Amino acid sequence: MILFEDIPYGSERMGIIWTLGEVAGACMLEFGPEGSTHYAAAQHGTYNGKLRASLFTTGLSEREVVFGDPGILEKSVRELIDTHRPSHLFVVPSAVCQIIGMDLDGLCLGLSRESDTRVLSIGGSGIDAGYTAGVERVLSLLAEHVVCQPSGVDAGTYNVIGSGMDWYNYQADLNEIERLMAGAFGLGAKTVFTTGTSMKDLMAAGEAACNIVIRKEGLACAKRLEQRFGQPYFYGTPYGLKGTIAWLDAVGAMIRAAPSADFIEKETLEVNTLKERLDYHRRMSRSTNASVVMAGNYDLLKYCGPFIRDELDFQIKGSVLTHPVKAQEEDELLFFRNDSAKYTHIAAQCPDFLLADAVTLRHFSGQIPGIQVSNPNLGAMRLYKHTPFMGFRGAQVLIQELANLALKPTTVSR
């Protein structure tokens, strides 16, 4: 079976609009039918994000879709430049235009020569590309064409690369990253790619002393910034107590500064206090050998999985990706092209708990207790910025949620 029972996986185009849509002052023009643009804009509300960019559409008619007339794009671009005067205009092709096979790169290059606005075509990896390809394309494009040559270096700052609304708990996680960097090193964020940022912020990103990459799709962006401005970078996602300490040590090695021992000692005590309560509840509910299946994005599975398994002593019976991954090294991370195969695999593992997206949790409602840790989202709100999943506080939040699962009467001892 190849049909999707629930929500299909996000496309490259969706990743582009989710990521660039977070940037205030950005001007996007989707070359395609208006219906697809309306759907993309509505997704920001579903994922508890805010469309900060200006999003326009050419509104192609049936004839224009069939024959691929580039005239409407040229007219739309000139109108946007005349009325809004953006520094950059990002042209996003819809799936329809990708099928037609128009040369958007050439068209945009020609239109750029007519004004001071940089017209950039973004997308076009193909209709089979997942949303993470769109995230990577946007981040790389910003590093190449938007970040300006700095006049100097702001030694007390760093950039965060990879925070975006496609991650379920992204606003609280970003808040925790900034808290960790301030508490351990006394540093402040210069620019965030791309949560709550602006074109002005992005242009100034070259002034930061270094880059913190919290997701795989941000690596190409960080490498380009290192080539252009000499900014060092570190890639990793802090989950759990040991994982966060190791993350801080690695960041410290990059910036040549040891993290604050007092800060780590205080945070460690708080995490361990909650872990003792989790251990108690697991003994009382006879779920000391409880197992879990996790479903989420690549970095959640790669970095949070060891916390659940090694620090909290849960058996991980399955790790299911919610998007395709290129050049994947971890054989235990599985991706399924359709719902039926994914649900069959999860059910076959017979886990006690499920840490997954809202769609998967809904499918197993009443069968496997669980908590939402990833998108797609079906209405759960994560607007409060002090309940992260990352970092020391994130470890406490996840421990508390797992302790509550252990207290449920449906828990089965294995």
Side-chain angles (χ1 to χ4, degrees), residues 148-320:
C148 298
Q149 188 69 36
S151 57
V153 176
D154 189 346
T157 64
Y158 60 92
N159 298 319
V160 178
I161 300 177
S163 175
M165 57 171 280
D166 61 294
W167 278 26
Y168 173 57
N169 204 25
Y170 72 107
Q171 296 186 69
D173 285 336
L174 174 61
N175 189 63
E176 177 68 357
I177 292 291
E178 294 179 349
R179 192 185 74 90
L180 292 174
M181 294 296 291
F185 303 109
L187 301 179
K190 182 74 175 181
T191 301
V192 179
F193 292 69
T194 59
T195 296
T197 194
S198 67
M199 290 293 289
K200 182 179 179 181
D201 294 335
L202 290 166
M203 290 177 184
E207 299 173 3
C210 63
N211 291 309
I212 304 297
V213 184
I214 60 174
R215 65 185 298 167
K216 185 178 182 180
E217 293 78 24
L219 273 172
C221 172
K223 290 177 180 178
R224 186 60 186 131
L225 292 174
E226 183 181 47
Q227 292 171 352
R228 291 188 63 195
F229 312 122
Q231 291 174 323
Y233 68 88
F234 169 71
Y235 160 54
T237 315
Y239 285 106
L241 175 58
K242 294 179 181 178
T244 301
I245 293 174
W247 186 87
L248 288 172
D249 286 339
V251 171
M254 175 188 65
I255 64 176
R256 299 179 182 179
S260 167
D262 290 341
F263 176 74
I264 292 178
E265 182 180 2
K266 176 179 177 295
E267 299 290 323
T268 298
L269 179 61
E270 293 180 359
V271 174
N272 283 333
T273 298
L274 263 70
K275 186 177 181 301
E276 291 173 0
R277 301 304 302 165
L278 171 63
D279 294 338
Y280 170 78
H281 289 307
R282 292 176 68 183
R283 290 194 302 269
M284 294 299 293
S285 62
R286 299 182 180 180
S287 60
T288 53
N289 295 318
S291 61
V292 302
V293 166
M294 298 182 66
N297 61 55
Y298 175 84
D299 291 283
L300 175 76
L301 300 182
K302 179 178 179 180
Y303 291 103
C304 189
F307 167 54
I308 302 298
R309 182 189 63 233
D310 301 335
E311 296 189 51
L312 302 184
D313 298 322
F314 285 87
Q315 299 179 54
I316 295 184
K317 287 192 171 182
S319 297
V320 179

Side-chain angles (χ1 to χ4, degrees), residues 12-160:
E12 177 192 32
R13 170 184 153 276
M14 294 304 297
I16 291 171
I17 295 176
W18 290 338
T19 307
L20 198 54
E22 287 275 334
V23 182
C27 189
M28 285 189 288
L29 173 63
E30 183 171 26
F31 187 34
E34 59 267 28
S36 62
T37 306
H38 175 80
Y39 174 77
Q43 281 290 302
H44 280 75
T46 303
Y47 284 3
N48 297 314
K50 183 178 181 181
L51 182 60
R52 295 161 57 87
S54 298
L55 178 59
F56 302 88
T57 180
T58 55
L60 296 178
S61 67
E62 183 177 344
R63 181 186 182 282
E64 290 159 343
V65 168
V66 172
F67 292 99
D69 182 7
I72 190 171
L73 175 63
E74 297 176 7
K75 181 179 178 180
S76 299
V77 168
R78 292 190 180 100
E79 181 179 341
L80 277 175
I81 292 174
D82 289 341
T83 56
H84 292 272
R85 302 290 180 183
S87 61
H88 299 76
L89 177 56
F90 303 93
V91 178
V92 183
S94 68
V96 171
C97 297
Q98 290 178 319
I99 294 172
I100 293 173
M102 294 182 63
D103 181 18
L104 286 187
D105 290 337
L107 282 171
C108 291
L109 181 61
L111 291 166
S112 288
R113 294 170 179 156
E114 299 180 6
S115 71
D116 294 332
T117 296
R118 185 72 180 272
V119 183
L120 299 167
S121 171
I122 179 169
S125 296
I127 59 176
D128 288 334
Y131 75 87
T132 55
V135 175
E136 184 174 2
R137 289 289 294 273
V138 169
L139 296 177
S140 299
L141 193 88
L142 295 175
E144 180 68 33
H145 297 291
V146 176
V147 182
C148 298
Q149 188 69 36
S151 57
V153 176
D154 189 346
T157 64
Y158 60 92
N159 298 319
V160 178

